[in-house]
Amino acid sequence: MAPLTDFYQLTMAYGHWRAGRHRLPAAAELFFRRGPFRGAFALAAGLAEGLRCLRAFRFSAADVAYLRSVLPSTTEDAFFDYLATLDASEVPFLQVKGPLLVVQLLETMLLCLVNYASLVATNASRFRLLAGPDMKLMEIGLRRAQGPDGALSASKYSYIGGFDCTSNVLAGKLYGIPVRGTIAHSFIMSFTSLEEVQPRELLPLAGGEPVDLPALAKSLLQRVCELLQTPPEKTNRGELAAFVSYAISFPHDFQGLLDTYCVRRSGLPNFCAVALALHQLGYRAVGVRLDSGDLAQQSKEIRRVFRACGAHFQVPWFETIPIAVSNDISEQSLEEFSREGSEIDMIGVGTNLVTCPLQPSLGCVYKLVEVNGSPRMKLTEDEEKMTIPGIKTIYRLYDAAGHPFMDLMALEEEPLPSAGQELAIRVLGRLGETSKVVPTTVEPLHRTYFRDGQVCEPLPSLPEVRSHAQVSLSLLSPAHRRLHEPQPYPVAVTERLHNLLTELRQATQ
């Protein structure tokens, strides 16, 4: 992974090496300047991948040979020999400390690993907040993602952000994420009549003689159509055949896609007939899916039909058959479902989750904050791009209700703020005025995970990361957690850090 970098990182590395500055102690920080999606929070993700890449950070002989071919011919041979000896044994993660040349070389790789991961996890968390805790969310973005790497990342970080499962089989294999799927229109369209169904018989769950399922479903279809007051001739027999064939293949997991032809006149009566046939043999259908039309309204109509069938045929579980929906689901879709009321139990989200169309990049940056013991800051005409100098420790301050209300940056050598103690702080964006806050709880956010070339803390499992992310979101106050016009979450600096910032700004004027 060492060559996963921008070319100018190598040319700058040579500049540091040529000037004899490459081993100066340095520190850099990775951060973002503005919350994504106009929200007040973001989930940080991609950290474990960054640690793994740091552990494996080496330029192989093939890497060095390639760099010889692309760097200017005036580059000294000794520089390539030096690159072959490099590793990240002196560099912790996110607040990155180590030799200047190595700190510089890690910039692009770490930004690549954290930017998209954090963006997708945050996007997924927004869908989870809109859907509520009980709705099942399925990530189905594999075919719309930016290539296989983007698709795998999207599946993994959507899970961290609060999705329950994925359609991505490789992500399930690699990461242990639950995989789910329904049935596609192409399967249903491939059938034209019940004569195509092979095999035709299904054994009852409790044992006994096999039953001709197509014949049983066809007889029940007549009764269902009478109940629903739907002409049987309007139902599509190819669709019925597809449902029957799928039910024979997966009697414990039968589910129907209802909108290939017409939900009300065909898909729904055909599904009910096959589900009732399975019930007579001791099996339960597990759900239906809608992929077009007014999803909220159709879900309510389908639930009414399920209740009617359950009562008429004396099958109590029928009225609780889960209803899943898809079809370019967005945040706006979820808001409409909530506003209109629906009977939806599961939502599949693809394009608007994995491509993050509302904001395609988080915009994390990576900046030097100290070199050789001297603080560094970027001064620019664009004040938003000014950086905060010095090696810092970050604290999260909580109020009496247990909600975080501010993150505080302090110089590393400053003492730990005490809970219940009044603190003088300067909020970013309002640095000209001092404010006083009294936190009920103070949480240090920095932990060392990488030291001497090794991961020095056990990394949590993916389910543990997911759980931690969801708990952290639940601690946010409603004002910070809401997705539209949230109250901005403040980040502040201590008076001592503000004084350093002021001194450096004045020294450059």
Side-chain angles (χ1 to χ4, degrees):
M1 294 291 285
L4 184 65
T5 189
D6 293 305
F7 185 68
Y8 78 164
Q9 304 289 10
L10 274 304
T11 58
M12 287 189 290
Y14 180 65
H16 287 314
W17 180 86
R18 190 74 171 74
R21 297 167 44 83
H22 54 292
R23 293 205 56 80
L24 291 179
E29 293 174 345
L30 189 152
F31 58 95
F32 62 87
R33 296 187 173 99
R34 194 177 299 174
F37 310 110
R38 298 184 179 179
F41 66 87
L43 290 181
L47 311 184
E49 283 64 32
L51 289 169
R52 294 185 185 101
C53 287
L54 285 174
R55 187 169 54 194
F57 183 81
R58 299 284 190 282
F59 286 101
S60 68
D63 295 336
V64 172
Y66 172 73
L67 295 178
R68 285 181 184 273
S69 73
V70 296
L71 282 167
S73 59
T74 54
T75 307
E76 296 181 25
D77 286 342
F79 174 67
F80 297 107
D81 296 336
Y82 176 72
L83 288 182
T85 70
L86 278 186
D87 59 31
S89 59
E90 299 176 59
V91 184
F93 181 59
L94 269 202
Q95 185 187 75
V96 183
K97 301 176 184 176
L100 177 58
L101 184 147
V102 179
V103 169
Q104 184 75 64
L105 281 177
L106 293 175
E107 175 182 1
T108 301
M109 180 184 73
L110 294 179
L111 286 171
C112 177
L113 293 171
V114 170
N115 255 314
Y116 180 67
S118 300
L119 186 73
V120 172
T122 304
N123 198 25
S125 72
R126 292 171 63 88
F127 278 94
R128 170 49 68 197
L129 289 173
L130 283 169
D134 299 324
M135 180 72 71
K136 294 294 184 183
L137 292 178
M138 179 177 177
E139 178 269 314
I140 56 173
L142 176 57
R143 64 188 62 190
R144 302 292 173 81
Q146 287 90 343
D149 292 339
L152 285 170
S153 295
S155 298
K156 181 175 186 178
Y157 298 114
S158 296
Y159 184 66
I160 288 174
F163 274 59
D164 298 287
C165 53
T166 179
S167 66
N168 187 337
V169 176
L170 184 56
K173 175 188 174 185
L174 294 177
Y175 309 131
I177 303 171
V179 292
R180 297 289 184 271
T182 56
I183 184 174
H185 297 104
S186 60
F187 184 85
I188 295 168
M189 293 161 59
S190 70
F191 288 84
T192 59
S193 71
L194 287 171
E195 285 67 36
E196 295 175 313
V197 176
Q198 292 294 334
R200 302 179 65 84
E201 294 183 329
L202 180 64
L203 287 170
L205 184 60
E209 292 299 315
V211 174
D212 186 318
L213 195 65
L216 179 58
K218 185 177 179 180
S219 67
L220 283 165
L221 178 61
Q222 185 72 33
R223 297 171 61 189
V224 169
C225 287
E226 289 174 3
L227 174 66
L228 302 184
Q229 297 182 339
T230 298
E233 63 271 14
K234 294 291 186 180
T235 60
N236 186 286
R237 293 309 167 95
E239 181 179 58
L240 178 63
F243 286 170
V244 170
S245 180
Y246 197 83
I248 292 171
S249 298
F250 300 101
H252 294 281
D253 300 282
F254 171 61
Q255 48 202 320
L257 176 59
L258 303 185
D259 69 328
T260 305
Y261 301 109
C262 175
V263 174
R264 186 71 176 85
R265 293 196 307 269
S266 184
L268 195 47
N270 278 333
F271 170 81
C272 290
V274 177
L276 289 167
L278 282 175
H279 170 72
Q280 291 193 12
L281 302 186
Y283 302 97
R284 283 193 182 191
V286 299
V288 296
R289 178 164 71 97
L290 294 169
D291 191 50
S292 61
D294 186 334
L295 300 175
Q297 183 61 35
Q298 288 186 99
S299 74
K300 290 186 280 188
E301 294 173 1
I302 291 167
R303 185 66 68 205
R304 282 195 293 268
V305 169
F306 286 167
R307 287 174 180 147
C309 283
H312 182 79
F313 292 98
Q314 298 183 330
V315 185
W317 61 263
F318 215 83
E319 65 181 49
T320 62
I321 292 174
I323 300 171
V325 300
S326 52
N327 189 27
D328 206 25
I329 301 295
S330 64
E331 288 187 9
Q332 182 180 353
S333 304
L334 269 65
E335 290 169 338
E336 290 172 356
F337 296 160
S338 177
R339 188 166 53 247
E340 297 174 17
S342 80
E343 291 288 343
I344 295 168
D345 302 289
M346 173 179 275
I347 300 174
V349 190
T351 304
N352 290 295
L353 173 64
V354 305
T355 67
C356 301
L358 296 180
Q359 182 178 325
S361 173
L362 177 57
C364 284
V365 294
Y366 178 99
K367 300 297 180 185
L368 279 174
V369 295
E370 183 175 291
V371 176
N372 203 24
S374 176
R376 295 288 193 270
M377 70 178 295
K378 177 182 177 181
L379 285 170
T380 172
E381 294 179 0
D382 185 349
E383 187 166 330
E384 187 183 75
K385 290 195 171 184
M386 182 185 70
T387 60
I388 309 297
I391 299 176
K392 296 174 282 295
T393 299
I394 314 297
Y395 303 97
R396 182 151 292 163
L397 311 183
Y398 292 81
D399 59 22
H403 301 307
F405 68 88
M406 176 180 291
D407 285 357
L408 178 65
M409 291 189 285
L411 288 169
E412 193 174 47
E413 61 267 22
E414 291 189 69
L416 170 72
S418 299
Q421 170 191 345
E422 184 177 81
L423 302 173
I425 55 93
R426 306 281 184 122
V427 177
L428 296 185
R430 305 197 307 271
L431 290 176
E433 57 188 79
T434 302
S435 301
K436 306 283 188 178
V437 297
V438 181
T440 301
T441 306
V442 177
E443 178 190 10
L445 295 186
H446 281 166
R447 291 178 61 180
T448 300
Y449 271 87
F450 192 83
R451 183 188 288 119
D452 300 326
Q454 297 297 322
V455 176
C456 57
E457 288 271 353
L459 295 182
S461 67
L462 193 62
E464 288 172 335
V465 173
R466 182 180 187 271
S467 176
H468 175 76
Q470 299 312 303
V471 169
S472 298
L473 285 170
S474 71
L475 292 177
L476 288 174
S477 71
H480 291 139
R481 194 167 56 234
R482 65 175 179 250
L483 304 188
H484 296 294
E485 298 182 354
Q487 178 181 319
Y489 185 85
V491 178
V493 299
T494 61
E495 283 287 350
R496 186 167 168 184
L497 180 52
H498 177 257
N499 291 337
L500 174 62
L501 174 64
T502 302
E503 290 171 11
L504 291 179
R505 292 182 72 173
Q506 291 175 345
T508 61
Q509 291 176 351

PDB file of all heavy atoms in Angstrom, residues 363-387:
ATOM      1  N   GLY A 363     -14.280  15.635   2.416  1.00  0.00           N
ATOM      2  CA  GLY A 363     -13.340  16.751   2.429  1.00  0.00           C
ATOM      3  C   GLY A 363     -12.356  16.734   3.576  1.00  0.00           C
ATOM      4  O   GLY A 363     -11.905  17.801   4.035  1.00  0.00           O
ATOM      5  N   CYS A 364     -12.001  15.538   4.086  1.00  0.00           N
ATOM      6  CA  CYS A 364     -10.967  15.484   5.125  1.00  0.00           C
ATOM      7  C   CYS A 364      -9.653  16.039   4.589  1.00  0.00           C
ATOM      8  O   CYS A 364      -9.325  15.882   3.411  1.00  0.00           O
ATOM      9  CB  CYS A 364     -10.740  14.040   5.578  1.00  0.00           C
ATOM     10  SG  CYS A 364     -12.021  13.385   6.650  1.00  0.00           S
ATOM     11  N   VAL A 365      -8.902  16.678   5.464  1.00  0.00           N
ATOM     12  CA  VAL A 365      -7.577  17.199   5.116  1.00  0.00           C
ATOM     13  C   VAL A 365      -6.568  16.695   6.143  1.00  0.00           C
ATOM     14  O   VAL A 365      -6.937  16.196   7.212  1.00  0.00           O
ATOM     15  CB  VAL A 365      -7.570  18.744   5.056  1.00  0.00           C
ATOM     16  CG1 VAL A 365      -8.444  19.238   3.925  1.00  0.00           C
ATOM     17  CG2 VAL A 365      -8.028  19.349   6.377  1.00  0.00           C
ATOM     18  N   TYR A 366      -5.301  16.869   5.814  1.00  0.00           N
ATOM     19  CA  TYR A 366      -4.211  16.340   6.636  1.00  0.00           C
ATOM     20  C   TYR A 366      -3.132  17.415   6.640  1.00  0.00           C
ATOM     21  O   TYR A 366      -2.576  17.746   5.589  1.00  0.00           O
ATOM     22  CB  TYR A 366      -3.728  15.047   5.994  1.00  0.00           C
ATOM     23  CG  TYR A 366      -2.566  14.309   6.622  1.00  0.00           C
ATOM     24  CD1 TYR A 366      -2.784  13.219   7.453  1.00  0.00           C
ATOM     25  CD2 TYR A 366      -1.244  14.650   6.333  1.00  0.00           C
ATOM     26  CE1 TYR A 366      -1.734  12.486   7.979  1.00  0.00           C
ATOM     27  CE2 TYR A 366      -0.183  13.927   6.857  1.00  0.00           C
ATOM     28  CZ  TYR A 366      -0.425  12.852   7.678  1.00  0.00           C
ATOM     29  OH  TYR A 366       0.619  12.126   8.189  1.00  0.00           O
ATOM     30  N   LYS A 367      -2.869  17.997   7.805  1.00  0.00           N
ATOM     31  CA  LYS A 367      -1.979  19.162   7.855  1.00  0.00           C
ATOM     32  C   LYS A 367      -0.915  18.996   8.942  1.00  0.00           C
ATOM     33  O   LYS A 367      -1.192  18.472  10.024  1.00  0.00           O
ATOM     34  CB  LYS A 367      -2.785  20.437   8.138  1.00  0.00           C
ATOM     35  CG  LYS A 367      -3.859  20.754   7.093  1.00  0.00           C
ATOM     36  CD  LYS A 367      -3.274  21.031   5.720  1.00  0.00           C
ATOM     37  CE  LYS A 367      -4.358  21.340   4.706  1.00  0.00           C
ATOM     38  NZ  LYS A 367      -3.804  21.491   3.341  1.00  0.00           N
ATOM     39  N   LEU A 368       0.287  19.492   8.631  1.00  0.00           N
ATOM     40  CA  LEU A 368       1.341  19.545   9.629  1.00  0.00           C
ATOM     41  C   LEU A 368       0.970  20.513  10.738  1.00  0.00           C
ATOM     42  O   LEU A 368       0.461  21.611  10.472  1.00  0.00           O
ATOM     43  CB  LEU A 368       2.656  20.003   9.000  1.00  0.00           C
ATOM     44  CG  LEU A 368       3.500  18.964   8.256  1.00  0.00           C
ATOM     45  CD1 LEU A 368       4.686  19.641   7.594  1.00  0.00           C
ATOM     46  CD2 LEU A 368       3.978  17.872   9.206  1.00  0.00           C
ATOM     47  N   VAL A 369       1.213  20.096  11.990  1.00  0.00           N
ATOM     48  CA  VAL A 369       0.956  20.996  13.120  1.00  0.00           C
ATOM     49  C   VAL A 369       2.214  21.261  13.935  1.00  0.00           C
ATOM     50  O   VAL A 369       2.239  22.189  14.749  1.00  0.00           O
ATOM     51  CB  VAL A 369      -0.145  20.418  14.032  1.00  0.00           C
ATOM     52  CG1 VAL A 369      -1.475  20.361  13.295  1.00  0.00           C
ATOM     53  CG2 VAL A 369       0.235  19.050  14.578  1.00  0.00           C
ATOM     54  N   GLU A 370       3.271  20.454  13.700  1.00  0.00           N
ATOM     55  CA  GLU A 370       4.536  20.701  14.415  1.00  0.00           C
ATOM     56  C   GLU A 370       5.675  20.047  13.655  1.00  0.00           C
ATOM     57  O   GLU A 370       5.537  18.950  13.112  1.00  0.00           O
ATOM     58  CB  GLU A 370       4.463  20.129  15.839  1.00  0.00           C
ATOM     59  CG  GLU A 370       5.706  20.419  16.666  1.00  0.00           C
ATOM     60  CD  GLU A 370       5.582  19.958  18.101  1.00  0.00           C
ATOM     61  OE1 GLU A 370       4.783  20.575  18.843  1.00  0.00           O
ATOM     62  OE2 GLU A 370       6.275  18.990  18.477  1.00  0.00           O
ATOM     63  N   VAL A 371       6.818  20.723  13.590  1.00  0.00           N
ATOM     64  CA  VAL A 371       8.045  20.178  13.018  1.00  0.00           C
ATOM     65  C   VAL A 371       9.200  20.532  13.935  1.00  0.00           C
ATOM     66  O   VAL A 371       9.403  21.717  14.275  1.00  0.00           O
ATOM     67  CB  VAL A 371       8.314  20.717  11.601  1.00  0.00           C
ATOM     68  CG1 VAL A 371       9.660  20.190  11.074  1.00  0.00           C
ATOM     69  CG2 VAL A 371       7.196  20.353  10.641  1.00  0.00           C
ATOM     70  N   ASN A 372       9.936  19.524  14.373  1.00  0.00           N
ATOM     71  CA  ASN A 372      11.128  19.709  15.199  1.00  0.00           C
ATOM     72  C   ASN A 372      10.813  20.527  16.448  1.00  0.00           C
ATOM     73  O   ASN A 372      11.583  21.400  16.854  1.00  0.00           O
ATOM     74  CB  ASN A 372      12.242  20.366  14.389  1.00  0.00           C
ATOM     75  CG  ASN A 372      13.613  20.077  14.978  1.00  0.00           C
ATOM     76  OD1 ASN A 372      13.819  19.085  15.680  1.00  0.00           O
ATOM     77  ND2 ASN A 372      14.563  20.968  14.694  1.00  0.00           N
ATOM     78  N   GLY A 373       9.671  20.272  17.070  1.00  0.00           N
ATOM     79  CA  GLY A 373       9.295  20.949  18.296  1.00  0.00           C
ATOM     80  C   GLY A 373       8.692  22.325  18.112  1.00  0.00           C
ATOM     81  O   GLY A 373       8.281  22.960  19.087  1.00  0.00           O
ATOM     82  N   SER A 374       8.598  22.789  16.876  1.00  0.00           N
ATOM     83  CA  SER A 374       8.070  24.125  16.608  1.00  0.00           C
ATOM     84  C   SER A 374       6.677  24.011  15.985  1.00  0.00           C
ATOM     85  O   SER A 374       6.503  23.320  14.986  1.00  0.00           O
ATOM     86  CB  SER A 374       9.004  24.871  15.645  1.00  0.00           C
ATOM     87  OG  SER A 374       8.466  26.131  15.308  1.00  0.00           O
ATOM     88  N   PRO A 375       5.664  24.671  16.572  1.00  0.00           N
ATOM     89  CA  PRO A 375       4.310  24.568  16.013  1.00  0.00           C
ATOM     90  C   PRO A 375       4.229  25.182  14.624  1.00  0.00           C
ATOM     91  O   PRO A 375       4.930  26.153  14.309  1.00  0.00           O
ATOM     92  CB  PRO A 375       3.448  25.341  17.018  1.00  0.00           C
ATOM     93  CG  PRO A 375       4.387  26.210  17.774  1.00  0.00           C
ATOM     94  CD  PRO A 375       5.711  25.517  17.773  1.00  0.00           C
ATOM     95  N   ARG A 376       3.380  24.590  13.800  1.00  0.00           N
ATOM     96  CA  ARG A 376       3.187  25.062  12.428  1.00  0.00           C
ATOM     97  C   ARG A 376       1.698  25.308  12.191  1.00  0.00           C
ATOM     98  O   ARG A 376       0.839  24.587  12.699  1.00  0.00           O
ATOM     99  CB  ARG A 376       3.673  24.019  11.415  1.00  0.00           C
ATOM    100  CG  ARG A 376       5.171  23.755  11.452  1.00  0.00           C
ATOM    101  CD  ARG A 376       5.950  24.939  10.866  1.00  0.00           C
ATOM    102  NE  ARG A 376       7.342  24.602  10.611  1.00  0.00           N
ATOM    103  CZ  ARG A 376       8.331  24.757  11.481  1.00  0.00           C
ATOM    104  NH1 ARG A 376       8.045  25.218  12.695  1.00  0.00           N
ATOM    105  NH2 ARG A 376       9.566  24.439  11.155  1.00  0.00           N
ATOM    106  N   MET A 377       1.404  26.324  11.394  1.00  0.00           N
ATOM    107  CA  MET A 377       0.028  26.577  11.016  1.00  0.00           C
ATOM    108  C   MET A 377      -0.029  27.104   9.595  1.00  0.00           C
ATOM    109  O   MET A 377       0.922  27.714   9.097  1.00  0.00           O
ATOM    110  CB  MET A 377      -0.648  27.563  11.973  1.00  0.00           C
ATOM    111  CG  MET A 377      -0.155  28.994  11.886  1.00  0.00           C
ATOM    112  SD  MET A 377      -1.046  30.120  13.007  1.00  0.00           S
ATOM    113  CE  MET A 377      -2.689  30.074  12.334  1.00  0.00           C
ATOM    114  N   LYS A 378      -1.126  26.838   8.930  1.00  0.00           N
ATOM    115  CA  LYS A 378      -1.362  27.350   7.585  1.00  0.00           C
ATOM    116  C   LYS A 378      -2.149  28.646   7.696  1.00  0.00           C
ATOM    117  O   LYS A 378      -3.255  28.673   8.242  1.00  0.00           O
ATOM    118  CB  LYS A 378      -2.145  26.323   6.757  1.00  0.00           C
ATOM    119  CG  LYS A 378      -2.503  26.794   5.352  1.00  0.00           C
ATOM    120  CD  LYS A 378      -3.320  25.750   4.618  1.00  0.00           C
ATOM    121  CE  LYS A 378      -3.739  26.238   3.240  1.00  0.00           C
ATOM    122  NZ  LYS A 378      -4.551  25.238   2.525  1.00  0.00           N
ATOM    123  N   LEU A 379      -1.562  29.723   7.189  1.00  0.00           N
ATOM    124  CA  LEU A 379      -2.256  31.010   7.125  1.00  0.00           C
ATOM    125  C   LEU A 379      -2.630  31.268   5.675  1.00  0.00           C
ATOM    126  O   LEU A 379      -1.830  31.097   4.769  1.00  0.00           O
ATOM    127  CB  LEU A 379      -1.365  32.136   7.648  1.00  0.00           C
ATOM    128  CG  LEU A 379      -1.198  32.199   9.171  1.00  0.00           C
ATOM    129  CD1 LEU A 379      -0.117  33.200   9.548  1.00  0.00           C
ATOM    130  CD2 LEU A 379      -2.513  32.572   9.844  1.00  0.00           C
ATOM    131  N   THR A 380      -3.836  31.696   5.454  1.00  0.00           N
ATOM    132  CA  THR A 380      -4.314  31.872   4.102  1.00  0.00           C
ATOM    133  C   THR A 380      -5.345  32.978   4.080  1.00  0.00           C
ATOM    134  O   THR A 380      -5.911  33.348   5.113  1.00  0.00           O
ATOM    135  CB  THR A 380      -4.935  30.560   3.568  1.00  0.00           C
ATOM    136  OG1 THR A 380      -5.558  30.808   2.316  1.00  0.00           O
ATOM    137  CG2 THR A 380      -5.986  30.023   4.518  1.00  0.00           C
ATOM    138  N   GLU A 381      -5.582  33.519   2.886  1.00  0.00           N
ATOM    139  CA  GLU A 381      -6.602  34.561   2.773  1.00  0.00           C
ATOM    140  C   GLU A 381      -7.992  34.002   3.037  1.00  0.00           C
ATOM    141  O   GLU A 381      -8.918  34.743   3.391  1.00  0.00           O
ATOM    142  CB  GLU A 381      -6.545  35.198   1.381  1.00  0.00           C
ATOM    143  CG  GLU A 381      -5.249  35.975   1.131  1.00  0.00           C
ATOM    144  CD  GLU A 381      -5.196  36.570  -0.261  1.00  0.00           C
ATOM    145  OE1 GLU A 381      -6.159  36.370  -1.021  1.00  0.00           O
ATOM    146  OE2 GLU A 381      -4.193  37.231  -0.576  1.00  0.00           O
ATOM    147  N   ASP A 382      -8.173  32.697   2.832  1.00  0.00           N
ATOM    148  CA  ASP A 382      -9.434  32.046   3.148  1.00  0.00           C
ATOM    149  C   ASP A 382      -9.350  31.575   4.594  1.00  0.00           C
ATOM    150  O   ASP A 382      -8.734  30.564   4.900  1.00  0.00           O
ATOM    151  CB  ASP A 382      -9.654  30.864   2.202  1.00  0.00           C
ATOM    152  CG  ASP A 382     -11.007  30.199   2.398  1.00  0.00           C
ATOM    153  OD1 ASP A 382     -11.685  30.522   3.393  1.00  0.00           O
ATOM    154  OD2 ASP A 382     -11.373  29.347   1.569  1.00  0.00           O
ATOM    155  N   GLU A 383      -9.992  32.291   5.511  1.00  0.00           N
ATOM    156  CA  GLU A 383      -9.840  32.012   6.935  1.00  0.00           C
ATOM    157  C   GLU A 383     -10.308  30.611   7.308  1.00  0.00           C
ATOM    158  O   GLU A 383      -9.806  30.003   8.245  1.00  0.00           O
ATOM    159  CB  GLU A 383     -10.606  33.056   7.760  1.00  0.00           C
ATOM    160  CG  GLU A 383     -10.337  32.923   9.256  1.00  0.00           C
ATOM    161  CD  GLU A 383     -10.798  34.140  10.037  1.00  0.00           C
ATOM    162  OE1 GLU A 383     -10.787  35.249   9.483  1.00  0.00           O
ATOM    163  OE2 GLU A 383     -11.156  33.959  11.215  1.00  0.00           O
ATOM    164  N   GLU A 384     -11.271  30.070   6.557  1.00  0.00           N
ATOM    165  CA  GLU A 384     -11.767  28.735   6.854  1.00  0.00           C
ATOM    166  C   GLU A 384     -10.679  27.682   6.705  1.00  0.00           C
ATOM    167  O   GLU A 384     -10.711  26.639   7.348  1.00  0.00           O
ATOM    168  CB  GLU A 384     -12.947  28.401   5.939  1.00  0.00           C
ATOM    169  CG  GLU A 384     -13.627  27.090   6.305  1.00  0.00           C
ATOM    170  CD  GLU A 384     -14.755  26.728   5.350  1.00  0.00           C
ATOM    171  OE1 GLU A 384     -14.433  26.308   4.224  1.00  0.00           O
ATOM    172  OE2 GLU A 384     -15.921  26.880   5.718  1.00  0.00           O
ATOM    173  N   LYS A 385      -9.678  27.967   5.849  1.00  0.00           N
ATOM    174  CA  LYS A 385      -8.615  26.996   5.603  1.00  0.00           C
ATOM    175  C   LYS A 385      -7.416  27.179   6.541  1.00  0.00           C
ATOM    176  O   LYS A 385      -6.430  26.458   6.423  1.00  0.00           O
ATOM    177  CB  LYS A 385      -8.156  27.085   4.146  1.00  0.00           C
ATOM    178  CG  LYS A 385      -9.198  26.564   3.169  1.00  0.00           C
ATOM    179  CD  LYS A 385      -8.608  26.317   1.796  1.00  0.00           C
ATOM    180  CE  LYS A 385      -9.589  25.595   0.893  1.00  0.00           C
ATOM    181  NZ  LYS A 385      -8.996  25.259  -0.418  1.00  0.00           N
ATOM    182  N   MET A 386      -7.488  28.137   7.443  1.00  0.00           N
ATOM    183  CA  MET A 386      -6.443  28.290   8.447  1.00  0.00           C
ATOM    184  C   MET A 386      -6.435  27.068   9.354  1.00  0.00           C
ATOM    185  O   MET A 386      -7.494  26.526   9.693  1.00  0.00           O
ATOM    186  CB  MET A 386      -6.707  29.554   9.264  1.00  0.00           C
ATOM    187  CG  MET A 386      -5.657  29.850  10.318  1.00  0.00           C
ATOM    188  SD  MET A 386      -6.127  31.285  11.318  1.00  0.00           S
ATOM    189  CE  MET A 386      -7.502  30.619  12.237  1.00  0.00           C
ATOM    190  N   THR A 387      -5.258  26.604   9.752  1.00  0.00           N
ATOM    191  CA  THR A 387      -5.157  25.437  10.626  1.00  0.00           C
ATOM    192  C   THR A 387      -4.815  25.859  12.044  1.00  0.00           C
ATOM    193  O   THR A 387      -4.327  26.977  12.284  1.00  0.00           O
ATOM    194  CB  THR A 387      -4.101  24.455  10.099  1.00  0.00           C
ATOM    195  OG1 THR A 387      -2.825  25.112  10.037  1.00  0.00           O
ATOM    196  CG2 THR A 387      -4.480  23.949   8.709  1.00  0.00           C
TER     197      THR A 387
END
